[in-house]
């Protein structure tokens, strides 16, 4: 592929192949991002750019700002807005990219394929009453949290760049407009299948299913029932993903079916946040009045979302409806067990356990109950356990906790590993640092109100190595002071 770069400019390294654009026309509307007044680069992820085969040097200055604002479309891109539907808080709606544009798929020098998507890039036919735009704060917030999840080893979309647009967006007050460029294994959602099923064109549905198999599960295409295998494989990835969220105290906050990616990545960082004190009912989102997407409900909601996917696949799974329903139901009812296996394996690692005993589940649950009773910090309690002796934190002094601690010590002795091995395992599975809500807010306030990016850059640095202890005096490992207001997050920002 040739590049449009002038001879004195290094090639930016774009190499697009746009397979999504080759899906039937119902799945997208071809259109460019809406240009903005004065693009300015705020932050750029050099390491990610390099891993995509892009040349950071060529994407500096005005050139880079123009590209990541959507003002200049790189050669080979075929921008489009994706059509999809979704169950939002349980209610079915036709949606689509109302403020996003898929620029295309970047193929890396290693042959991997990543969607390059703009968020906040202007109105599309799917915008409904929205302005198609985004504000700087929420885009930087997605940048921070998605990069933090990545560093924790959790599958996620990633953040490549944020630019400001030079145009205000109007929310409750005028805010600085911005565009986030994110990368993803794909943006195929449960809602994309719901969209195809709702339109009722069997050829389109099959095209989407075959495309998803090719893109994410190529080995399954040759199995006896590839569409049932697709459902099972997506389930497996969701089970693993949601287990990983729970293991680090992450609350997605808006697990609508349009925000569930079939590739198994965490997608759509709106009202998400990390829990401090352990409480399974924790909700941060200001619009989640009934706790539908509370921390501890995430596995059940994942299963509910997978049932919506299963419904769309019935006609492909078997021509006889009843047979299809019983096959799909058989798969979906296996979700809680699959989830629990991932969760328990992760919890064993957090407790330094390398072998298995029948009572391990109870050991974990009793610890969590104890933490809940004492309002113990989720992250720090697990991290402190690896310090060997009983640390000072007040929960560790409580009699019920001491009892639990003795049980765990005895349990550790019933495995072949030495304590040092267990300790190392714990320190690579229990992060020392998570994006604490008050530190994220502090970084965003500096960036948005004072154009000072240094606070965010320092935070990103620490979050990139979450299993290293930060300097004690930095305070990055501390939960919000008890005096802090309850934390609230917002959607549709
Ligand atoms: P989300 O809650 O971010 O998953 O968004 C749900 C739907 O609302 C998607 O179809 C978005 O594209 C759309 N949407 C969110 N914000 C805006 C906006 N400012 N303008 C247009 N559409 C939007
Ligand atoms: Mg969404």
């Amino acid at each position: 592929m040739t590049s449009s770069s002038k001879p004195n400019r290094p090639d930016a390294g774009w190499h697009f192949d746009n397979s999504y654009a080759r899906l039937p026309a119902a799945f997208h509307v071809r259109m460019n991002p809406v240009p903005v007044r004065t693009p300015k680069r705020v932050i750029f992820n050099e390491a990610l750019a390099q891993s995509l085969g892009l040349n950071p040097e060529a994407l500096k200055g005005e050139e880079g700002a123009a590209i990541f604002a959507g003002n200049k479309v790189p050669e080979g891109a075929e921008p489009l807005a994706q059509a999809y539907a979704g169950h939002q808080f349980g209610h079915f709606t036709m949606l689509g990219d109302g403020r996003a544009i898929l620029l295309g798929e970047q193929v890396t020098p290693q042959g991997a394929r990543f969607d390059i998507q703009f968020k906040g890039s202007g109105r599309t036919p799917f915008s409904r009453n929205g302005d198609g735009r985004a504000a700087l704060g929420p885009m930087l917030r997605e940048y921070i949290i998605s990069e933090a999840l990545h560093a924790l080893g959790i599958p996620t979309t990633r953040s490549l760049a944020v630019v400001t647009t030079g145009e205000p967006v109007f929310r409750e007050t005028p805010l600085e407009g911005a565009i986030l460029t994110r990368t993803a294994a794909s943006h195929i959602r449960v809602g994309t299948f719901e969209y195809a099923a709702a339109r009722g064109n069997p050829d389109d549905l099959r095209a989407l299913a075959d495309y998803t198999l090719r893109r994410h599960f190529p080995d399954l295409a040759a199995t006896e029932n590839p569409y049932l295998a697709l459902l099972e494989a997506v389930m497996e990835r969701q089970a693993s993903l949601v287990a990983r969220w729970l293991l680090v105290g992450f609350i997605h906050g808006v697990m609508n079916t349009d925000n569930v990616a079939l590739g198994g990545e965490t997608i759509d960082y709106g009202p998400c946040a990390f829990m401090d004190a352990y409480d399974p009912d924790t909700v941060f989102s200001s619009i989640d009045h009934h706790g539908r997407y509370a921390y501890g409900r995430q596995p059940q909601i994942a299963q509910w979302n997978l049932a919506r996917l299963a419904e769309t696949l019935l006609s492909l799974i078997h021509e006889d409806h009843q047979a299809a329903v019983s096959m799909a139901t058989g798969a979906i009812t296996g979700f809680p067990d699959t989830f629990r296996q991932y969760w328990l394996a992760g919890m064993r690692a957090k407790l330094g356990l390398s072998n298995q005993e029948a009572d391990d589940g109870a050991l974990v649950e009793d610890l969590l109950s104890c933490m809940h009773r004492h309002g113990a910090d989720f992250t720090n309690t697990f991290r402190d356990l690896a310090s060997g002796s009983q640390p000072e934190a007040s929960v560790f002094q409580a009699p019920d906790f001491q009892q639990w601690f003795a049980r765990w010590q005895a349990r550790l002795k019933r495995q072949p590993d030495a304590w040092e091995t267990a300790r190392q395992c714990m320190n690579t599975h229990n992060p020392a640092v998570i994006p604490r809500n008050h530190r994220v807010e502090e970084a965003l306030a500096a960036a948005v109100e004072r154009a000072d990016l240094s606070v965010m850059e320092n935070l990103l640095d620490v979050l990139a190595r979450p299993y290293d202890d930060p300097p004690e005096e930095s305070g990055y490992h501390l939960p919000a002071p008890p005096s802090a207001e309850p934390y609230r997050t917002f959607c549709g920002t």
Side-chain angles (χ1 to χ4, degrees):
M1 210 196 89
T2 58
S3 146
S4 59
S5 57
K6 300 185 186 84
N8 61 348
R9 270 203 81 81
D11 187 322
W14 294 112
H15 187 109
F16 285 103
D17 175 59
N18 307 309
S19 62
Y20 203 90
R22 298 194 286 271
L23 278 175
F27 288 104
H28 43 71
V29 174
R30 298 283 275 270
M31 61 174 292
N32 283 352
V34 181
V36 303
R37 201 180 296 153
T38 35
K40 195 166 155 252
R41 202 170 92 172
V42 178
I43 192 157
F44 180 67
N45 193 334
E46 280 208 24
L48 176 59
Q50 268 157 355
S51 75
L52 292 167
L54 298 175
N55 179 356
E57 281 309 307
L59 293 166
K60 287 213 163 110
E62 275 181 33
E63 173 82 5
I67 286 180
F68 294 116
N71 283 13
K72 180 173 175 186
V73 175
E75 194 179 321
E78 293 177 61
L80 56 84
Q82 293 180 316
Y84 53 86
H87 276 85
Q88 299 189 300
F89 288 89
H91 303 287
F92 183 77
T93 324
M94 287 301 216
L95 295 160
D97 284 336
R99 58 164 172 175
I101 290 288
L102 176 67
L103 191 59
E105 297 146 32
Q106 166 78 358
V107 179
T108 72
Q110 292 73 33
R113 180 183 297 265
F114 290 96
D115 277 9
I116 308 288
Q117 195 210 52
F118 295 137
K119 186 165 171 179
S121 48
R123 289 182 57 83
T124 75
F126 306 109
S127 296
R128 296 173 291 166
N129 296 323
D131 60 2
R133 293 297 182 191
L136 178 59
M139 296 305 100
L140 292 178
R141 192 168 186 281
E142 169 154 350
Y143 191 111
I144 296 170
I145 309 224
S146 62
E147 286 304 299
L149 257 76
H150 172 73
L152 286 163
I154 301 176
T156 177
T157 63
R158 294 192 63 188
S159 297
L160 181 60
V162 175
V163 297
T164 46
T165 60
E167 298 171 12
V169 296
F170 298 94
R171 298 294 181 255
E172 269 149 27
T173 52
L175 300 168
E176 195 167 7
I179 297 170
L180 169 76
T181 303
R182 71 178 178 192
T183 67
S186 86
H187 284 83
I188 307 167
R189 310 147 191 268
V190 169
T192 318
F193 279 80
E194 291 182 281
Y195 168 83
R199 287 174 51 98
N201 179 331
D203 294 339
D204 285 355
L205 180 67
R206 186 178 295 269
L208 177 65
D210 289 341
Y211 174 71
T212 307
L213 282 164
R214 276 199 304 280
R215 189 151 175 192
H216 291 297
F217 309 98
D219 298 345
L220 300 183
T223 54
E224 197 186 327
N225 190 334
Y227 307 111
L228 182 62
L230 172 64
L231 176 62
E232 289 166 346
V234 172
M235 259 182 56
E236 190 84 21
R237 287 195 189 176
Q238 284 299 312
S240 163
L241 179 68
V242 175
R244 282 158 174 255
W245 290 352
L246 262 59
L247 292 166
V248 297
F250 178 75
I251 303 167
H252 181 284
V254 62
M255 288 174 71
N256 295 333
T257 54
D258 52 304
N259 295 335
V260 178
L262 267 69
E265 290 180 336
T266 311
I267 185 171
D268 242 329
Y269 290 81
C272 61
F274 282 71
M275 172 175 70
D276 288 325
Y278 175 72
D279 179 351
D281 292 333
T282 305
V283 172
F284 291 113
S285 171
S286 55
I287 61 165
D288 190 0
H289 304 296
H290 303 290
R292 179 180 171 89
Y293 299 136
Y295 169 82
R297 280 183 53 87
Q298 295 182 111
Q300 278 156 271
I301 289 293
Q303 186 182 20
W304 192 90
N305 290 340
L306 289 163
R308 304 290 78 72
L309 175 66
E311 285 162 3
T312 71
L313 292 173
L314 291 175
S315 62
L316 295 173
I317 288 175
H318 204 288
E319 60 201 13
D320 177 70
H321 184 72
Q322 272 318 313
V325 168
S326 86
M327 290 159 91
T329 309
I332 297 292
T333 50
F335 182 83
D337 276 350
T338 309
F339 166 79
R340 183 151 175 107
Q341 280 171 30
Y342 280 110
W343 178 82
L344 192 53
M347 277 295 181
R348 283 199 179 96
K350 284 174 83 71
L351 292 178
L353 302 175
S354 64
N355 63 355
Q356 304 184 7
E357 283 189 7
D359 286 344
D360 289 344
L363 184 73
V364 175
E365 271 142 17
D366 292 348
L367 170 62
L368 293 175
S369 307
C370 188
M371 286 164 63
H372 191 194
R373 274 197 298 282
H374 295 285
D377 185 79
F378 182 79
T379 305
N380 291 352
T381 303
F382 279 102
R383 183 78 183 182
D384 286 349
L385 285 175
S387 64
S389 60
Q390 296 189 38
E392 290 308 309
S394 60
V395 54
F396 286 82
Q397 309 309 322
D400 53 349
F401 185 83
Q402 301 238 329
Q403 256 180 21
W404 179 87
F405 193 88
R407 251 169 85 199
W408 173 57
Q409 293 288 305
R411 172 67 182 85
L412 283 169
K413 295 206 175 79
R414 295 195 298 274
Q415 68 177 6
D417 313 57
W419 165 246
E420 186 48 30
T421 314
R423 200 183 63 82
Q424 274 173 22
C425 171
M426 293 175 73
N427 278 340
T428 49
H429 288 87
N430 295 310
V433 203
I434 53 160
R436 297 277 181 184
N437 300 319
H438 63 299
R439 301 305 292 254
V440 173
E441 291 305 317
E442 172 192 70
L444 295 181
V448 174
E449 290 159 24
R450 306 191 294 280
D452 171 7
L453 262 288
S454 65
V455 186
M456 173 163 162
E457 277 159 1
N458 292 339
L459 178 62
L460 286 171
D461 253 10
V462 178
L463 293 173
R465 289 169 278 106
Y467 298 101
D468 292 357
D469 285 310
E472 190 67 28
E473 67 281 5
S474 72
Y476 281 117
H477 58 294
L478 296 175
S483 59
E485 294 276 302
Y487 192 60
R488 280 278 155 269
T489 57
F490 303 90
C491 279
T493 40

